[in-house]
Amino acid sequence: MEALLASAVGVLTAAGIFLILRRRTFPVILGLSLLTYAVNAFLFATGRLALNAPPVLNKYKEVAYTDPLPQALVLTAIVISFGMTAVIVMIALSAYLSSRDDRIDMSAQDSVDAAGEDA
């Protein structure tokens, strides 16, 4: 079970980094989403993977339990990543509407202009 989850985290991370390195905004947004999924799966795995184990202690008998803290962290991370994705989509949409293109690379002239403004 641990090997499967570790492989899934690795594949999600690799796919997320691959998509972040694209030149269009939509794949970049998908790559960030995949990276957040990988982090969420990693955080969830830190609480020891136990099947059919309750997330709370039972004071009447000795049973294995799952640590509830990583589950709470994952829920918080899901909410934060949803908000972050919404903000990034709105920024990408406004950039597309203002320039009529969703490419995120800079031309040589833009680089020269940016270097001249910094000096």
Side-chain angles (χ1 to χ4, degrees):
M1 181 70 146
E2 288 86 4
L4 179 66
L5 189 63
S7 299
V9 168
V11 167
L12 284 172
T13 303
I17 289 173
F18 176 77
L19 288 174
I20 283 178
L21 297 175
R22 301 291 96 196
R23 292 188 176 186
R24 302 275 182 185
T25 55
F26 185 68
V28 170
I29 293 169
L30 286 179
L32 281 173
S33 296
L34 287 179
L35 276 178
T36 58
Y37 295 151
V39 169
N40 290 344
F42 176 74
L43 284 175
F44 189 72
T46 60
R48 290 178 291 147
L49 299 174
L51 298 175
N52 300 324
V56 293
L57 289 173
N58 189 352
K59 65 180 178 178
Y60 298 112
K61 56 182 170 175
E62 278 298 315
V63 294
Y65 68 95
T66 305
D67 189 13
L69 183 62
Q71 296 175 10
L73 287 174
V74 168
L75 286 175
T76 305
I78 288 170
V79 171
I80 291 171
S81 66
F82 179 72
M84 182 188 71
T85 303
V87 168
I88 290 174
V89 166
M90 293 307 295
I91 291 172
L93 183 63
S94 67
Y96 173 74
L97 292 176
S98 66
S99 67
R100 297 289 184 225
D101 191 17
D102 68 339
R103 293 181 66 91
I104 56 173
D105 57 337
M106 293 177 57
S107 66
Q109 184 61 34
D110 291 340
S111 304
V112 170
D113 291 342
E117 292 173 2
D118 290 340

